[in-house]
Amino acid sequence: MYENTHWVNLILLGIVNFIVFYFVFRYAISKFDIKTPGREDEMSDSSLLNNKEYDKVASLVIEALGGKENIKQVENCVSRLRVDVVDQKKLNMDLIRESGALGTFIPSSNHIHVVFGPHVEFVRNSVDDQLH
């Protein structure tokens, strides 16, 4: 059943696809100035995170999320602070960026993910301390 599969062709096709995709996507990204991670116009200032000033970051995050009364629940995963908020209209995205966040995602109307990378656990602990 497997004698006529010509598995070597799959490897050759994979190599050709890699080369074609690499150059096509590289050309398209540079030609049309597509914003990929790391190529955004505005980069966040992560000096607070690099200096491990997590209390200041937490204060900025709480203020950016509309204050203590607007935050229902705070959790984190490996790289993101996941927050349930009462009113999404109170979010201040510029202040979130100022906190050193690498990015944000809003998957639903009352939920926001704020990306802090490997610092997220320390930021979450500081946010929890300031909320309670």
Side-chain angles (χ1 to χ4, degrees):
M1 177 173 168
Y2 296 108
E3 317 111 22
N4 296 322
T5 59
H6 304 289
W7 59 271
V8 176
N9 290 340
L10 290 176
I11 294 173
L12 295 174
L13 183 61
I15 292 170
V16 170
N17 278 341
F18 173 80
I19 292 169
V20 170
F21 291 162
Y22 175 80
F23 287 106
V24 167
F25 284 111
R26 183 180 171 123
Y27 171 77
I29 288 169
S30 60
K31 171 77 174 163
F32 301 111
D33 195 28
I34 298 171
K35 301 301 178 205
T36 56
R39 297 187 71 241
E40 298 93 355
D41 289 332
E42 296 180 22
M43 294 297 289
S44 66
D45 179 21
S46 59
S47 61
L48 289 175
L49 291 174
N50 291 337
N51 295 331
K52 299 182 180 174
E53 298 181 50
Y54 301 119
D55 290 335
K56 290 181 183 178
V57 173
S59 296
L60 286 172
V61 168
I62 291 170
E63 184 181 345
L65 296 175
K68 292 180 181 181
E69 65 280 348
N70 197 44
I71 298 172
K72 286 197 260 183
Q73 182 178 356
V74 179
E75 296 177 341
N76 70 288
C77 62
V78 175
S79 64
R80 298 178 187 176
L81 193 65
R82 301 178 341 197
V83 184
D84 291 329
V85 294
V86 176
D87 185 7
Q88 185 181 11
K89 294 175 185 168
K90 293 183 179 180
L91 300 179
N92 183 339
M93 301 310 265
D94 292 330
L95 200 53
I96 290 175
R97 193 173 303 113
E98 189 178 313
S99 73
L102 302 172
T104 56
F105 301 98
I106 303 177
S108 67
S109 62
N110 292 333
H111 192 74
I112 183 170
H113 292 197
V114 184
V115 181
F116 284 107
H119 300 277
V120 71
E121 184 177 351
F122 305 109
V123 172
R124 191 249 171 124
N125 290 338
S126 293
V127 168
D128 283 344
D129 289 345
Q130 292 184 25
L131 289 177
H132 297 104

